[in-house]
Amino acid sequence: MNDSRTRRRAAALVLPLLLSTLAACQSGGRDGKSAAATPSPTPTPVFSVRLDDQLSAASRATTATGSAAFIWTLRYGSAKGTAVERVTGVQDYAKDTARAERVVRIPRRFPADAARELGGEPAGARKPQTFAVSGNEVSYRTADGDWLRYSSAAPGEVVDLMDGALQRAGETAPYGGTLAEVVSVADASKAPVKGADGSRTYQVDVPLTYASVALPRALDISQDSARQAPGPIRTTVVLDRDGRLLRATADYAPALKPLHDAHLLKGVTSLRAEYTLSGHGRTPVPPPPAGGKSRDAAKVLTDVHKVKPGACASLDTGLGTLALVRVVPCGARADLRVFGQVRFKETVQGDPDGVAVREGQDRCKAAYRSAPRSWTADGRPADRFTTYGQGTTSSAYTGPDVDVEGDYTCLVETP
């Protein structure tokens, strides 16, 4: 739903492994090496290194423990209540594996567009989503018990659309897209507060260009937009007496301006994150549940812009976005029905903000009015539709004309 110039994140130093490690994803370890059978020895004591190196040293000390349980929470506040996304799981650093369950709970009156962007449903709690991570491969368990397998070795035309799943293959920790990756690149500039139990508490400011790695892919912030944030991400990091990560919290309020400018999370007024670890070295990762087939997501899923008008699709993909869907017969298994695909390229004068989005919405409105009633009658809420896609604007250095292009899918959500 956003102009593409606001949609690409480029914090390359902290992104999960994607295209650059195509071969390594089959090894079960990183960089093509075999996973260690036992945790490596504890590295140099964290608190004896330079202050600005202590948090990266803490990440290595945490990895050296071998395993841990984790809870990852994002809270989205609004005038109509707070939506909560929580992931609970276990991870084995030595084997580079993880298992996790994700639940999104959204209040009844929470802003509807924001609820959709979070991959949740107003007035309800979705069933837990189960993910299994092995190296750079992420599997999602569907409602029928089968597994969709996402790999960074997928064809180039679809791998970028898999970001919502591949983000869960982390670089700092087996399960990615959390504050673990932010802590690993944070530089402490003032001494931590020491607790009676030997713990240390750090207060650090992290530029959004780096901290955005912990936000869901559906909330993509371009590097240029991140630089325009009104301030850094204030982060609190707690280490235990051995320098291992126990807890990290962050206030992502500065991210709301670029998100709102990109027409995302409208109505959300606060955004906070929390990551906790426990059971260091004592938390094995269970094997996947027995039963269910494993399917290559690249072969099973379809780019939503290629779904034919009149066809239905399921969002039971684990992606949290509409980028890829599973085409299914219309009926109980369907989450949406496409009633139009609109593409345009035209020239306008000036550079009106959001012109591509508005043009896409207007064209979907026309498609909604002309579509067969059977394609839209089951849409909920009644008489509402969704416009999904992206547009671009470009202009020469001289002259008032602006070229506008858009590629949007028009759909209704079905019960």
Side-chain angles (χ1 to χ4, degrees):
M1 295 188 212
N2 313 289
D3 288 359
S4 64
R5 57 186 175 180
T6 65
R7 297 238 357 126
R8 299 307 305 160
R9 178 181 295 134
L13 291 177
V14 294
L15 281 176
L17 299 176
L18 290 176
L19 294 175
S20 63
T21 53
L22 299 184
C25 68
Q26 302 299 325
S27 68
R30 292 193 171 90
D31 303 323
K33 299 177 182 178
S34 297
T38 58
S40 57
T42 302
T44 303
V46 171
F47 307 123
S48 65
V49 302
R50 285 177 23 166
L51 177 61
D52 59 358
D53 288 334
Q54 289 182 7
L55 293 181
S56 59
S59 293
R60 294 191 295 273
T62 304
T63 298
T65 64
S67 64
F70 70 92
I71 300 175
W72 167 234
T73 308
L74 287 165
R75 291 182 172 88
Y76 304 82
S78 79
K80 305 298 184 180
T82 299
V84 179
E85 174 185 350
R86 178 170 285 113
V87 179
T88 304
V90 293
Q91 51 195 353
D92 188 314
Y93 299 95
K95 296 179 180 178
D96 202 8
T97 59
R99 278 280 305 281
E101 286 193 344
R102 172 182 179 265
V103 175
V104 179
R105 291 187 171 87
I106 297 181
R108 180 179 298 276
R109 299 176 63 196
F110 194 80
D113 287 344
R116 191 175 298 110
E117 290 154 6
L118 300 182
E121 298 292 341
R126 279 195 166 184
K127 295 180 180 179
Q129 298 176 316
T130 300
F131 295 90
V133 179
S134 180
N136 294 324
E137 191 172 271
V138 179
S139 295
Y140 165 75
R141 195 179 194 194
T142 64
D144 60 11
D146 289 345
W147 293 84
L148 284 176
R149 187 176 66 258
Y150 294 91
S151 170
S152 57
E157 64 269 19
V158 298
V159 72
D160 283 347
L161 303 178
M162 295 179 174
D163 275 1
L166 291 175
Q167 180 190 28
R168 303 179 197 282
E171 180 142 17
T172 300
Y175 189 92
T178 71
L179 285 178
E181 294 174 6
V182 178
V183 171
S184 69
V185 298
D187 294 330
S189 59
K190 60 181 180 180
V193 176
K194 185 176 181 180
D197 57 355
S199 64
R200 306 292 203 282
T201 300
Y202 298 76
Q203 302 291 339
V204 293
D205 289 341
V206 182
L208 183 56
T209 50
Y210 294 101
S212 61
V213 71
L215 295 178
R217 283 295 186 265
L219 305 181
D220 207 359
I221 300 177
S222 72
Q223 192 173 30
D224 288 341
S225 295
R227 291 194 185 103
Q228 303 305 314
I233 305 304
R234 298 290 173 87
T235 306
T236 301
V237 181
V238 181
L239 309 181
D240 69 10
R241 62 185 300 168
D242 297 317
R244 304 174 302 185
L245 180 61
L246 288 179
R247 183 171 179 262
T249 60
D251 184 354
Y252 274 87
L256 291 176
K257 183 183 185 304
L259 286 169
H260 290 166
D261 289 346
H263 309 283
L264 292 167
L265 293 190
K266 289 293 188 179
V268 173
T269 55
S270 66
L271 176 52
R272 300 189 66 86
E274 181 178 20
Y275 181 71
T276 61
L277 291 177
S278 61
H280 296 82
R282 308 187 308 276
T283 312
V285 175
K293 299 177 181 179
S294 179
R295 303 177 184 273
D296 184 346
K299 296 179 179 179
V300 173
L301 303 183
T302 301
D303 184 333
V304 73
H305 296 312
K306 296 180 180 179
V307 177
K308 295 180 179 180
C312 294
S314 168
L315 295 178
D316 186 20
T317 63
L319 288 172
T321 74
L322 286 166
L324 293 171
V325 297
R326 191 167 187 172
V327 176
V328 297
C330 296
R333 295 178 59 201
D335 296 307
L336 61 89
R337 190 166 193 168
V338 173
F339 62 84
Q341 298 283 7
V342 298
R343 296 171 180 83
F344 54 86
K345 182 177 182 180
E346 59 187 42
T347 300
V348 299
Q349 285 197 340
D351 188 10
D353 180 53
V355 61
V357 174
R358 289 197 300 274
E359 183 67 22
Q361 290 172 338
D362 289 345
R363 295 191 180 216
C364 279
K365 183 182 292 184
Y368 183 83
R369 291 171 177 167
S370 62
R373 179 62 178 163
S374 61
W375 292 3
T376 60
D378 291 336
R380 295 293 183 272
D383 298 321
R384 288 193 59 180
F385 63 85
T386 295
T387 303
Y388 178 82
Q390 62 182 6
T392 62
T393 59
S394 60
S395 60
Y397 288 106
T398 59
D401 292 344
V402 176
D403 294 326
V404 180
E405 292 187 55
D407 187 358
Y408 292 90
T409 297
C410 317
L411 59 96
V412 292
E413 298 177 35
T414 56

